[in-house]
Amino acid sequence: MSIQTIYAQKTIGITDLKRSDTAFIDNLLEPIAVLKRDTVKAYLIPEKLMAYFMDKLDDLELAKTVNSRLKDLEAGKTQTIAVEINEL
């Protein structure tokens, strides 16, 4: 028997999900863990939470690019160019 962390306060069995009226999805306010044989197989999350996660992932990718370019600048591999904001 293994122990699995569940990252939701609520759960639903996959069989119950298949059989039930899925209208609750329209009012989803928090993640719900979908279980199959007492093991988490998926999560249902609200659209706004998914959009938040995607924005954070985009921010992380942008931060990687910025940090890489700053390292290149510090190493002398690239240089800055002065521009006027109104010229862009």
Side-chain angles (χ1 to χ4, degrees):
M1 178 179 161
S2 66
I3 296 176
Q4 183 180 20
T5 301
I6 298 177
Y7 300 103
Q9 296 294 319
K10 296 180 180 179
T11 63
I12 187 168
I14 198 161
T15 303
D16 294 330
L17 182 62
K18 288 179 188 178
R19 291 181 185 162
S20 72
D21 174 16
T22 55
F24 73 92
I25 291 175
D26 293 334
N27 300 315
L28 194 61
L29 298 175
E30 61 184 330
I32 298 176
V34 179
L35 304 177
K36 181 177 180 182
R37 296 189 178 131
D38 295 327
T39 302
V40 176
K41 294 297 178 182
Y43 289 93
L44 292 173
I45 63 171
E47 179 274 331
K48 288 182 181 180
L49 183 57
M50 183 66 185
Y52 173 81
F53 287 156
M54 296 309 296
D55 285 344
K56 291 301 173 190
L57 285 173
D58 286 344
D59 290 347
L60 286 172
E61 288 300 317
L62 182 58
K64 285 181 188 178
T65 301
V66 168
N67 287 330
S68 172
R69 291 182 181 173
L70 284 173
K71 285 180 184 176
D72 287 348
L73 182 63
E74 291 169 355
K77 295 179 182 178
T78 188
Q79 59 184 342
T80 60
I81 300 170
V83 294
E84 289 291 327
I85 191 74
N86 294 330
E87 293 176 6
L88 297 177

